[in-house]
Structures are given as structure tokens and as C-alpha cells.
Amino acid sequence: MRIALPRLRDFSSRRPDFPVGLPRFARALRFPVFGLLLMLAALCTQAQPGDFDASLDTARLLIDKARKVLDDPPNDAADLLPLRTEVLGAGTQAEAAAALLEPQLASVQARLAELGPVTPGQAEAHDVAVLRSQLNKNRAELDAQFKRAKLLAVESEQTAGEISALRRSEFQARLGERTSSILSSLFWSELRMDLPADAQNARRLFDQLVMAARASGAWVWSSVGLIGLVLLGLHLWAGHAFLGLTTTRVPPGRLRRSLHAWTRVLLPTATAGLMAEAAYLGLVWVAPLPEALAPLMSRLAGVICFGGYVVGLGHALLLPARPSWRLLPLPDVLALRLRWLPPLLALLMVLTWALIPLTAQINASLVTTVALDCIVALAMALAMGLGLLQSNLARRKALREPGSAAAWPPSPLWLTSVIGLAWLGAAVSFLALLLGYVALGSFLVHQMAWMTIVLGSAYLLAVLVDDGFTTLLSPPAGAVGPAEGAGAAAEQPASPFFKVRRQAAVLLSGVGRLLVVVLTLMLLLAPFGEGPSELFQRADKLHQGVSIGEFQIRPMSVLQALVVIALCLVVVRIVRRWLKEDYLPTTSLDTGMQAWTATLFAYAGNLLALSLGLAAVGIGLERIAWVASALSVGIGFGLQAVVQNFVSGLIMLAEKPVKVGDWVSLGGIEGDIRRINVRATEIQMGDRSTVIVPNSEFITKTVRNVTHANPLGLVKILLPVPLAADADQVRCLVLKIFEAHADVLKAPEPGVQLDSIDSAGMVFNATAFVNSPRMAYGVRSALMFDVLRGLREAGISLVKPDGLVLREATERAPEPPAP
């Protein structure tokens, strides 16, 4: 079966004098999509080695035709645009053929590799020899076709670049051309000579339009008028309905205003487009339009639809009747004064786009074409200048009035610069039109209008993207509230899922606005010699990938890698939560060991996810190992401390000299271990401050772990009494007080020993145990109060023997940290 890839049609108009219109833009979008669908359809069909000759021959003929045209370029640069589209189509054909041939060539080479090399001096089986010969023949044919397709793709790109360079040079030369000024008598005399013939041609075209309208009949046009009235009624009803829907169904915030703004944009666009389409259907209801009239009316319907879009965009940005719903920070007085500008601008743009094919269809003279273009451009320049003048006058009036000056904030530097450039552009275009540089003046004023429309649309779209993601993915109002309990001051989310939603909202909003900026730049660049068809053709080539050294980065591979990494991270998060909350608590591991196990699993899972993502891009595990070996040199020199602390953490996990909750003392730092991380350990001091200690300190230095082997706390009290006191009475009194205290343990039981006797008196050493060393300080203080009270009631006084202060200072237990 032979596959012949069809040649792409020319979807562009012949005269792109004005920035790209809506119909041409919509047609240009089909160009890369068609090529992509063509490739996908061809991939589903098994082709044979000779199936691409016809397609490649067609591509070669198109490129050779373009080369001949470049040798003798035409006078009109607009004739180069269809030729460039054909060349790009030829390149797409060649790329599609190469994409289909590459896997087939790889399959043949793999089959040859399975057969192995021919053994010298040994006869090969007949069927194997025949198969090898056929495979070698197929490989040679496929390789030749593959190289030919690649060569044609490169030649088509080079030829298209030469055509674009020629178009730009012709475009720049046309901007510098000068005709007779519209203020000179010579211009009007030439116009009076050529205008009757052009008017006669236009009258014949108008007569054909009238005949087509009469052929449809009165009932058809009555139906068209009724449809127009219904559309106007639906427009008014839909405006009120969408306003009520956004007010009642959309959450409060900026999303209401952005949706209302886009409603104001889309409703006039749809109404104008449907009414124009109804009028066009009325014309062709009985019989098709004449060949000279059909493309003109078809283009006019699309232009009217775009005019409705301009009107809706202007009203959505200004919103003079609803100031509270306005997105732009415009004063009310300015919005009211500029409400006439969008309809007038839309009318002039419709006239511009309608006159371009009309003058080409009636074969109007140069003077008539220049006159029409100059008049419409002058009207547009005057409208823009009047709008700027009204803005300036309103601002000055507001600044002079004390009451209204606060409603007009000072303009930032960028806005002042933009307004200054707008004044300069309007003035230069107006002077150029008056002096006879009609092409330059018309281009400047049309470019200003096009930039205004694109930037306004981009602003509304960016606001909608930001408000949509922020509103739809943000946590609900009751999801965040104050933490319960005494002294709770911080607000805590009800679920960690809301934090993920908030992060996703910010990320998706940023990506969406970045795409809006890229699309805006593409549309702003369109009038400077490259239309959307060329720009989207360049974007369509991105599926081939970008070469960075030996790596081939393709968009689909990057998307696949992102999906793989996201899925792996989700799986790792789910399994880690299951380990931490469900499985590990059922084992004999302590709390610190459980936390360490979950943390190590998370690190290993994240590393595996990253490796799989790199493998999806095309960076294999062997290259990852090579990069890791190269990084090991840097690790050995610059990251010794980090690696040492990480290994020390692993040793701490295995030997468990300390764990979470232990009371340790290390180099003058004493407190409770709150967390053991991969690199360092957090110790909370008695004053509630936290000290970060590297893990290597616990391995290389001496550590005092108070709660390591025995978690009990010791309470010790030294009692110096006179020699005349009854030792047995003192012993019984202290033991009774110890046994009466609720926090003193019964086992090990408390004890009272006679520590020393000298001339100054006797010293008793009373000891007891409590459940935790952290309790020892408080229990000791309470017992000392009880002992002093008991000795006072028994009439036994205390003395100060020699050396007692020193012994108390050395044997006194340190103050425990606050819980």
C-alpha cells in the first residue's frame, strides 16, 4: 500500500496590509494542527519502503518552484506569502515522512542485529541469506528516503527563511514610499481622473450584490430581520442572566468581575457574528454568490464578528455604567468620556479590513486605494488623539478641583511613558499621512490599534486565569481558623490538603499568565512581517525537540517526565503517610526510629522519582550514574561536613545512643531532644530556645544522656543538724515526709543515710526517686519545704558544717528544662 501525503493548502489571504484579522488567524491555527493530525494518521498505517516517493517528489517540486520565484521576485510582496506557506507545507510533508521512516529503519536494523554478522568462511543457510539480503535492501532504501526527507526539511526551512527576509525587505521599502500629499491639488486631480472608472467597477459589484439579495426574496430577508431582532433580545436577556448568575453562583471576589468582563466581551462578539452570518445565509439562500463577490462577503462576515469583539472589549475595560465591577483602576469621569471610542475604533477597523479586499476585487487604481487608506487612517489617528486629549483634559480638571483630585491617583512612570509614546505615535502617523507617506502612517496607526486590542485582551485573560485558579483552588472560608486551647494565637489549616491546593493555585496561575504573555508577544510580533501562520509554524516545529549537547529535549518527553515525577511523588507521599501512621506504630520501633524510617523512605522515593523522570526525558540511569560519579569529586571536597553528618545520622539510627525525648548534655548544651533530622538534631533548652547540633557531635564527642538506660529521676537532700539532735527522730521524720509525697516512688524506696559527723554537727543524706529526671527539681523543692516545716515543728534546728556548701554545689542536680 502506498501513502501519498497531501499537500497543505494556502490558508492565508493575499494582502496582509493590516495586522492579522480574526478569519486569517483562525485559518492559520489549522496549519500546525493539520500537520500533527497527518502525522498521527500516518503513524497508524504500516508503510513500505517505497511509499514516500510521491510525497517527497511533491515537496521537491514546491521547493524548486520557490527557488525560481526567488531568482525573479514579484513586484508585490504579498504574493510571497502563499509561496512561503507552500514551502512550509512541503517541509511539514518531509518531516512527517522522516518521522514515519525513522521507526521503520530502526526496526530493520534491529532485525539485522538479531541475525548477527556473517561468519567469514562459513556458508549461511539459504533462507537466512535471502532474509538478510532483503533486509539490507530495505535498509538501504529506507535510509536513502530518510536522508532525502531530512534534506528536504532543511531546504524548506532555509527557503522559507529567504522568503521571509525578502518580504521584510519589501515591507520596509514599501513603508518608505511617498505619494502625492492629500493636501496637494495634484493628488485630487489624479483622484478625479481615476475615480469614475473605480466607481464604475464598484457599482457593478454592488449591482451583483443587489441582484443576489433580490433573488433571495422578501420572506428570506424578513426572516433575517426577525433573526436579528431575536438575537438582539437574546443579547439583552443573556446580559442580565449572566450578571445574575455571576452574582449568585460565583464566590465573592475578583472572579465575579473578571467573568462579568468576559461576558461583556463575548456577547457582542457572538451577536455581531451571528447577525453577519444570518445576513450571509440570506444572500446565498437561493443561489451561491458570484465568484467575484463570494470571498468579499465571507471575509466581511468575519470582520464584523471581530468588530463586535472590539466593541465588547472596550466596554468590558471601561464599564462606564458599573464602576464597582470595573477591573482597570480608571476614574469614573474618564470611563464616561471614553465610552464613544470603542464603537468608533471598531467601525474604522471594519472599514479598513473591508476596503483591502474590495479595492483588490475591483482592481482599483493606486490613487483610489491610497486615498481610501489615507482617509480611514486619518480618522483613526484623529480618534486616538481625541481620546488621549480627553484623558489629559479630564486629569487636569481633576487636579485643579480639590474634591476630585483624590479620585485620580498619580500616574506611575510606566503609564506616563506609554501615554507619551501613544501621543508620539499618533502625531507621527498623522503627519506622515498628511505628507504623503501613507504606508508608514497607516501602518503606525493600525499598529497602535492592534496593540491596544491585544494588550486589553491579554489583561482580561490574565486576570481571569489568576482569579479562576485562586478562587477555585483556594481553601474554603471555614477551612482556616484559630487553634483551640488556651493561649492559641496562630491560625492553623484544618487539613494539609488545603496547603497543597493553595500552592497549586499559585503555580497554575503563574503558568497560565506566562502562557498569556507568550501568546501576547506572538500576536504583537505578527504585524512586523510574520503572521500567525509563520509563528505557529515555528511553534509546531518544537515537537522535534531541542538539542543540548548529546541530549534531545522534546516537549512531549518533558511533559511525560513531569507526569511521571508527579505520580511518583504522590505514591511516595501516600506510602510514607501509611508507614508513619498505620504500619510503623504496630512495630516494636520507638518513635524516633519510626520517624527516621519514614524520612529515609521519603528521600529514597524522591530520588527514584527524579531518576525515572530523567529517564523519561531521555537521560538514562547510566548517564545519571556518570553525573553522580562526577559530583562525588565535588562532594569529597566541598560537602565533607554534610556527608559526615548524614552518615552520623545513620549511625545514630542504628546504635540509638540518643532518641527523641531524651534529656542530654553535650558541650555545655543541655535539654530535650525534639527532632533528629538527616543533618542535625534539634535540642530544646530550659528557656525554650532551640539549639541545632550537627549529628557528628553525638558520634565524635562525649554525650551525657540522663534518660538513656534509666528514665528515673533522683532527689537528694543534705540536712545538717546539731550533734544534740536525735538522729533516729530525724531519720523517721524525713522518711515519713518522703513517703507522704505522691510523686515519690515506692520502689526503689526512699532512704536516709548519715553522711558525716564532725564537731559542727551531723549531715544526713536523704534520697528518693521519681518517674522522670524532669520532675526531680520540682519534687525536691516541695520536699525541702515539707522537711523544714517538720523540723521546725519538732524543734530541731539546722547548722552549717564545714564544706557543706561546696558539697551541695557539686552534688546538686542541674535544673531540668521546662516541659
Side-chain angles (χ1 to χ4, degrees):
M1 179 179 62
R2 299 179 62 85
I3 298 179
L5 301 179
R7 182 169 62 89
L8 299 179
R9 297 177 56 192
D10 178 18
F11 294 112
S12 58
S13 61
R14 288 183 55 84
R15 298 195 59 178
D17 295 342
F18 192 73
V20 180
L22 184 64
R24 180 183 168 209
F25 178 70
R27 289 193 294 267
L29 285 176
R30 292 155 51 189
F31 182 79
V33 176
F34 179 78
L36 181 60
L37 294 177
L38 184 64
M39 291 180 60
L40 293 177
L43 284 173
C44 299
T45 307
Q46 182 64 32
Q48 298 300 324
D51 289 345
F52 301 96
D53 291 335
S55 300
L56 298 181
D57 291 341
T58 304
R60 168 53 65 188
L61 290 176
L62 292 175
I63 295 176
D64 292 341
K65 174 185 174 183
R67 288 292 182 183
K68 292 179 181 179
V69 173
L70 288 177
D71 294 338
D72 186 14
N75 295 328
D76 191 358
D79 295 335
L80 295 174
L81 184 60
L83 182 64
R84 186 180 188 277
T85 304
E86 291 181 356
V87 171
L88 292 176
T92 303
Q93 285 183 262
E95 291 171 0
L100 294 172
L101 287 169
E102 187 175 7
Q104 298 183 36
L105 181 60
S107 176
V108 172
Q109 291 176 346
R111 294 177 65 184
L112 283 172
E114 291 178 358
L115 292 179
V118 178
T119 305
Q122 183 178 355
E124 198 172 30
H126 177 70
D127 53 349
V128 176
V130 172
L131 179 60
R132 186 187 300 276
S133 175
Q134 183 64 33
L135 290 176
N136 285 325
K137 180 181 177 181
N138 291 343
R139 181 179 64 177
E141 293 179 357
L142 289 172
D143 185 64
Q145 290 182 339
F146 179 75
K147 292 179 179 178
R148 184 186 178 194
K150 284 292 187 181
L151 180 61
L152 287 175
V154 174
E155 288 185 7
S156 67
E157 187 173 357
Q158 293 176 351
T159 305
E162 294 179 9
I163 295 176
S164 297
L166 182 60
R167 285 184 60 212
R168 284 191 291 270
S169 62
E170 293 291 338
F171 177 73
Q172 295 172 0
R174 187 167 61 88
L175 289 181
E177 293 179 356
R178 184 176 183 272
T179 60
S180 300
S181 173
I182 195 173
L183 301 178
S184 64
S185 58
L186 178 62
F187 177 84
W188 294 105
S189 61
E190 292 178 352
L191 182 61
R192 281 193 300 269
M193 294 175 57
D194 296 339
L195 189 59
D198 295 335
Q200 184 67 26
N201 295 333
R203 188 176 301 110
R204 283 197 293 266
L205 193 65
F206 180 74
D207 293 339
Q208 294 179 5
L209 179 62
V210 172
M211 292 177 59
R214 289 177 177 176
S216 298
W219 69 273
V220 173
W221 291 111
S222 300
S223 302
V224 171
L226 181 61
I227 291 174
L229 293 177
V230 171
L231 289 174
L232 289 177
L234 288 176
H235 173 78
L236 297 176
W237 173 84
H240 292 290
F242 279 113
L243 178 61
L245 185 64
T246 53
T247 305
T248 57
R249 299 294 182 182
V250 180
R254 287 175 55 93
L255 183 59
R256 284 185 178 180
R257 296 192 293 167
S258 57
L259 286 177
H260 176 70
W262 274 105
T263 302
R264 298 295 298 267
V265 172
L266 297 179
L267 281 179
T269 305
T271 303
L274 291 176
M275 293 179 69
E277 188 66 23
Y280 181 78
L281 290 177
L283 289 174
V284 300
W285 188 261
V286 175
L289 293 175
E291 184 178 356
L293 195 60
L296 179 62
M297 300 308 299
S298 176
R299 179 182 177 87
L300 183 60
V303 168
I304 291 175
C305 180
F306 190 77
Y309 176 82
V310 174
V311 173
L313 178 64
H315 285 304
L317 291 172
L318 297 177
L319 280 179
R322 293 183 178 272
S324 60
W325 291 73
R326 189 182 303 132
L327 292 174
L328 280 176
L330 293 178
D332 297 342
V333 60
L334 181 59
L336 289 173
R337 288 195 174 189
L338 295 181
R339 58 185 175 182
W340 58 269
L341 185 58
L344 180 59
L345 186 62
L347 177 61
L348 294 175
M349 294 180 70
V350 169
L351 286 177
T352 301
W353 285 346
L355 289 175
I356 289 175
L358 177 61
T359 54
Q361 190 65 43
I362 65 176
N363 196 17
S365 62
L366 178 62
V367 178
T368 303
T369 304
V370 170
L372 293 175
D373 192 10
C374 183
I375 292 173
V376 176
L378 278 173
M380 191 176 294
L382 288 174
M384 292 183 178
L386 184 59
L388 293 172
L389 181 60
Q390 283 193 345
S391 302
N392 193 18
L393 292 177
R395 182 174 180 274
R396 290 183 178 181
K397 182 179 179 181
L399 293 179
R400 287 195 300 265
E401 297 178 1
S404 59
W408 200 296
S411 301
L413 179 60
W414 66 269
L415 183 58
T416 305
S417 302
V418 169
I419 294 176
L421 291 176
W423 273 111
L424 180 62
V428 170
S429 61
F430 188 78
L431 291 177
L433 291 170
L434 293 181
L435 294 177
Y437 295 96
V438 178
L440 176 60
S442 177
F443 171 77
L444 288 177
V445 71
H446 291 161
Q447 177 63 14
M448 290 174 59
W450 176 250
M451 291 180 64
T452 303
I453 295 171
V454 171
L455 293 178
S457 304
Y459 172 77
L460 291 183
L461 186 57
V463 171
L464 178 65
V465 169
D466 185 31
D467 296 343
F469 284 122
T470 303
T471 303
L472 298 179
L473 294 181
S474 295
V480 178
E484 297 180 357
E491 292 187 354
Q492 299 176 351
S495 172
F497 178 68
F498 294 135
K499 182 178 180 180
V500 177
R501 287 178 55 179
R502 189 181 297 110
Q503 293 174 351
V506 175
L507 178 62
L508 293 176
S509 174
V511 173
R513 285 181 292 176
L514 179 61
L515 294 178
V516 171
V517 171
V518 173
L519 180 60
T520 303
L521 292 178
M522 292 176 63
L523 294 178
L524 290 179
L525 290 175
F528 292 98
E530 287 203 1
S533 59
E534 292 89 344
L535 296 173
F536 280 97
Q537 176 68 21
R538 293 175 180 269
D540 186 55
K541 291 181 178 296
L542 291 177
H543 73 273
Q544 303 176 10
V546 179
S547 297
I548 302 177
E550 298 181 357
F551 301 110
Q552 188 76 11
I553 305 297
R554 295 182 173 87
M556 292 304 299
S557 300
V558 174
L559 180 61
Q560 181 181 0
L562 293 177
V563 172
V564 169
I565 292 176
L567 291 178
C568 290
L569 292 180
V570 170
V571 172
V572 169
R573 186 182 183 91
I574 293 175
V575 176
R576 180 178 179 271
R577 181 178 298 178
W578 173 77
L579 285 174
K580 185 177 181 180
E581 298 180 359
D582 297 334
Y583 176 71
L584 291 177
T586 63
T587 62
S588 58
L589 300 177
D590 53 31
T591 306
M593 189 69 173
Q594 294 176 16
W596 258 99
T597 304
T599 302
L600 287 180
F601 173 79
Y603 277 101
N606 294 337
L607 182 61
L608 179 61
L610 180 61
S611 301
L612 293 178
L614 293 177
V617 175
I619 305 176
L621 296 179
E622 67 280 357
R623 295 183 177 180
I624 297 175
W626 179 81
V627 174
S629 62
L631 290 177
S632 62
V633 178
I635 291 175
F637 286 99
L639 301 178
Q640 290 183 358
V642 176
V643 176
Q644 181 183 9
N645 291 322
F646 180 78
V647 175
S648 300
L650 296 179
I651 295 175
M652 292 170 60
L653 175 63
E655 296 184 356
K656 293 187 289 187
V658 294
K659 60 182 181 297
V660 176
D662 284 352
W663 180 13
V664 297
S665 176
L666 173 64
I669 301 173
E670 187 167 348
D672 293 324
I673 295 180
R674 293 303 184 190
R675 185 177 301 170
I676 301 177
N677 298 319
V678 175
R679 188 195 64 85
T681 299
E682 299 178 7
I683 298 178
Q684 185 176 1
M685 304 287 287
D687 58 354
R688 293 189 176 274
S689 62
T690 301
V691 180
I692 310 299
V693 180
N695 289 335
S696 59
E697 298 289 323
F698 290 90
I699 303 301
T700 59
K701 294 185 178 180
T702 303
V703 181
R704 178 173 176 260
N705 193 338
V706 181
T707 59
H708 178 63
N710 193 347
L712 300 181
L714 175 63
V715 176
K716 182 167 62 174
I717 301 175
L718 299 178
L719 296 175
V721 298
L723 289 175
D726 189 353
D728 294 332
Q729 182 184 5
V730 174
R731 181 174 179 273
C732 293
L733 177 62
V734 174
L735 286 177
K736 183 179 179 180
I737 292 174
F738 277 18
E739 292 173 357
H741 199 281
D743 292 330
V744 174
L745 298 178
K746 307 302 180 183
E749 61 183 8
V752 178
Q753 291 81 24
L754 187 59
D755 188 68
S756 62
I757 300 175
D758 52 22
S759 58
M762 301 177 293
V763 178
F764 288 90
N765 186 4
T767 58
F769 292 92
V770 292
N771 285 322
S772 172
R774 299 173 184 85
M775 300 172 55
Y777 188 78
V779 173
R780 179 173 178 270
S781 175
L783 290 175
M784 291 176 66
F785 278 109
D786 294 339
V787 168
L788 287 176
R789 189 182 304 109
L791 293 177
R792 189 177 296 109
E793 292 175 357
I796 302 175
S797 61
L798 298 177
V799 297
K800 185 178 180 181
D802 297 338
L804 182 59
V805 176
L806 180 61
R807 289 182 61 185
E808 282 191 358
T810 56
E811 295 181 6
R812 178 181 175 181
E815 179 181 354

